[in-house]
Amino acid sequence: SQQGEEDPQALSIQEGENATMNCSYKTSINNLQWYRQNSGRGLVHLILIRSNEREKHSGRLRVTLDTSKKSSSLLITASRAADTASYFCATGFGGSNYKLTFGKGTLLTVNP
Amino acid sequence: KAGVTQTPRYLIKTRGQQVTLSCSPISGHRSVSWYQQTPGQGLQFLFEYFSETQRNKGNFPGRFSGRQFSNSRSEMNVSTLELGDSALYLCASSLGTGATNEKLFFGSGTQLSVL
């Protein structure tokens, strides 16, 4: 079963607006990662936040993590048409059997 | 540095056939993971190989198998194809140090259609 669940499933905004996507998960994690996928292509890593971190920034991206609520959010500021893609959260857990489990993603459409 | 390379990009097969997909990881990466992506189930973990050994496995039937060669290149095989096997198969590589904060580098995938 999927570990992470993104919300909303789809989001449509205008260029220049901010986009916020949320991710909830069920069990303990070592880290939570966000990936982007353009239609029919491979995923590209965006940002990783460790379980002992609360907030992280990378360019126009801001990720927060609340381990008590088992949730994370990805904020994209000043969105551009090129940000149109599916965004996935992935939870990393385990020691020697560490693996990443992905949610079903949020489809973001940025209209010019 | 070249990225993760998957071949072929597209594949059309009929039910009952078998198929082999190939993945070349980023140079220096020793771990290769495979994922199946479908609209209904999303991204599902198939298995991970490290140093020619399967280190982790998802919940897929035995028809799905894989292997890794000494140069870290990996192949996955699906035997007795079913219509439901139609999917985008993604390969991802990582350093494989065993650190629990590694990120994955994905290939562009192989789009498999089973008719």
Side-chain angles (χ1 to χ4, degrees):
Chain A
S1 62
Q2 302 292 346
Q3 165 71 306
E5 294 286 340
E6 290 92 341
D7 170 60
Q9 290 186 321
L11 180 61
S12 182
I13 60 173
Q14 297 299 122
E15 230 174 4
E17 293 181 336
N18 295 342
T20 299
M21 287 159 270
N22 302 298
C23 171
S24 59
Y25 57 93
K26 295 174 182 157
T27 64
S28 299
I29 60 172
N30 296 107
N31 66 75
L32 188 143
Q33 304 183 30
W34 286 89
Y35 288 79
R36 187 181 93 173
Q37 183 181 37
N38 289 89
S39 181
R41 309 296 293 184
L43 281 75
V44 175
H45 181 266
L46 295 175
I47 196 165
L48 179 154
I49 186 165
R50 292 177 168 76
S51 59
N52 61 354
E53 296 176 314
R54 292 297 166 258
E55 188 171 312
K56 211 161 180 184
H57 296 255
S58 177
R60 295 184 295 114
L61 305 180
R62 172 178 168 253
V63 169
T64 61
L65 178 64
D66 187 335
T67 53
S68 66
K69 294 181 179 177
K70 292 186 168 54
S71 67
S72 172
S73 68
L74 169 67
L75 169 66
I76 304 174
T77 60
S79 63
R80 306 164 182 166
D83 294 329
T84 295
S86 291
Y87 291 82
F88 296 85
C89 71
T91 49
F93 178 71
S96 59
N97 62 342
Y98 170 84
K99 71 178 184 184
L100 276 180
T101 304
F102 287 81
K104 292 190 177 181
T106 292
L107 175 59
L108 172 66
T109 302
V110 181
N111 302 298
Chain B
K1 223 181 212 184
V4 178
T5 304
Q6 288 189 249
T7 57
R9 182 74 180 93
Y10 300 95
L11 207 49
I12 299 175
K13 292 285 186 180
T14 56
R15 278 181 299 173
Q17 288 187 311
Q18 75 164 17
V19 66
T20 299
L21 313 181
S22 179
C23 173
S24 293
I26 291 173
S27 177
H29 284 192
R30 297 171 64 192
S31 169
V32 173
S33 299
W34 289 89
Y35 288 83
Q36 180 196 65
Q37 186 177 27
T38 59
Q41 297 298 316
L43 275 149
Q44 298 204 298
F45 174 75
L46 282 155
F47 28 65
E48 182 216 358
Y49 285 87
F50 175 79
S51 290
E52 302 178 66
T53 301
Q54 188 179 87
R55 188 159 69 174
N56 215 339
K57 188 178 186 305
N59 296 322
F60 277 81
R63 299 186 297 107
F64 292 82
S65 62
R67 59 177 174 167
Q68 187 180 34
F69 303 95
S70 58
N71 62 357
S72 294
R73 191 177 70 84
S74 177
E75 288 181 347
M76 70 162 280
N77 184 278
V78 188
S79 62
T80 319
L81 283 166
E82 301 176 359
L83 295 178
D85 296 333
S86 294
L88 180 65
Y89 289 88
L90 292 163
C91 162
S93 75
S94 65
L95 289 169
T97 60
T100 56
N101 287 307
E102 285 199 345
K103 62 184 183 183
L104 299 182
F105 295 82
F106 282 83
S108 294
T110 293
Q111 184 67 55
L112 172 66
S113 297
V114 181
L115 306 178

